[in-house]
Amino acid sequence: MKQKFRLKPCLYLLPALLLIIIVIVFPILYTGYISLTNMNLYHWNDYEIIGFDNYVRALFKFDSGFLSALITTILWTVLNMVIQITVGFFIALGLNVPGLKLNRLYKTLLMVPWAMPSYISILLWRVGMFNKEFGVLNKFLGMLGFAKVDFLGNNVIAFCTCMVLNLWMALPFMISTVGWCRILGKNLVYYNSCNKTYYCTCSCYDYLYHF
């Protein structure tokens, strides 16, 4: 039996579809278009289409800075994903330990980075934590007798510093890992209890703590 085409549901979806086109689709298409031109500060209005010259200059000239930026981006993505998933997983294991006191309080504190705007988080860490003169970390290092560290003055140190900040801002993802681990644990406990192998292959955190 053929279903009739209904116009009314499509009309309900039209505002959201228009918003997606304006906010996402159009900027992508426009960026692709201007990448084929020589538009810059000197040719803002009188630009012309130059084809793939920008891509050739970026990919095949080693002094363009594109390859180093690409390698840095790939390294940033891989390291952040590995660290966030690993730390999130073990935090989830810790929060799901049976009999843990103040469990709900810990989960609520993990929501602070999500509730705080990103700009405020960045400003707080840059001025309050990583500042060379007034930062908490340099104050602590000074109390221990170490020299002050410019956390944002060196490329490698700044890279690691930003990774720490990004890890802190990714704590809500760890909360979702907590929920996933709890659901997975219950399913595995039920399955293995039916097979009478509870202590062999129970949930992931039971396995870690029983063995």
Side-chain angles (χ1 to χ4, degrees):
M1 182 177 179
K2 293 184 178 180
Q3 295 182 352
K4 294 183 179 180
F5 176 76
R6 297 182 179 180
L7 181 61
K8 193 174 182 180
C10 296
L11 294 178
Y12 288 143
L13 294 175
L14 185 60
L17 182 61
L18 291 176
L19 182 63
I20 292 174
I21 293 175
I22 295 173
V23 177
I24 299 178
V25 177
F26 174 74
I28 293 176
L29 296 178
Y30 184 69
T31 301
Y33 166 72
I34 63 175
S35 68
L36 301 176
T37 67
N38 63 342
M39 178 186 287
N40 53 38
L41 294 176
Y42 303 102
H43 300 281
W44 191 258
N45 294 319
D46 58 341
Y47 60 88
E48 58 184 13
I49 297 178
I50 59 175
F52 294 96
D53 290 351
N54 291 327
Y55 294 94
V56 173
R57 184 169 60 253
L59 294 174
F60 299 104
K61 287 188 177 181
F62 294 99
D63 58 347
S64 64
F66 173 78
L67 293 178
S68 61
L70 179 62
I71 294 174
T72 303
T73 302
I74 295 174
L75 184 63
W76 168 270
T77 304
V78 172
L79 289 178
N80 276 278
M81 287 297 295
V82 172
I83 294 175
Q84 289 177 16
I85 292 175
T86 304
V87 174
F89 179 74
F90 282 101
I91 288 180
L93 292 179
L95 291 177
N96 281 285
V97 173
L100 178 65
K101 296 181 179 180
L102 303 177
N103 191 355
R104 294 176 181 243
L105 176 62
Y106 299 144
K107 293 179 181 179
T108 302
L109 292 177
L110 287 174
M111 294 296 293
V112 173
W114 177 79
M116 185 179 297
S118 300
Y119 175 77
I120 302 300
S121 299
I122 296 172
L123 186 64
L124 177 65
W125 280 78
R126 180 180 180 183
V127 178
M129 298 293 292
F130 298 130
N131 188 277
K132 186 176 181 181
E133 300 297 330
F134 312 105
V136 175
L137 293 179
N138 275 315
K139 292 289 184 181
F140 183 73
L141 291 175
M143 293 173 58
L144 297 177
F146 295 99
K148 294 182 178 180
V149 178
D150 189 1
F151 291 99
L152 301 176
N154 181 277
N155 290 336
V156 177
I157 299 178
F159 184 87
C160 298
T161 300
C162 292
M163 283 186 58
V164 173
L165 173 58
N166 193 51
L167 176 64
W168 184 79
M169 295 174 64
L171 287 177
F173 167 75
M174 300 179 186
I175 297 176
S176 65
T177 309
V178 172
W180 166 82
C181 190
R182 181 181 293 273
I183 295 173
L184 179 62
K186 290 180 178 179
N187 292 337
L188 290 176
V189 168
Y190 175 77
Y191 173 79
N192 291 298
S193 62
C194 293
N195 289 276
K196 299 181 180 180
T197 55
Y198 177 82
Y199 287 100
C200 294
T201 56
C202 183
S203 62
C204 48
Y205 48 88
D206 284 331
Y207 180 84
L208 290 177
Y209 283 99
H210 283 302
F211 294 89

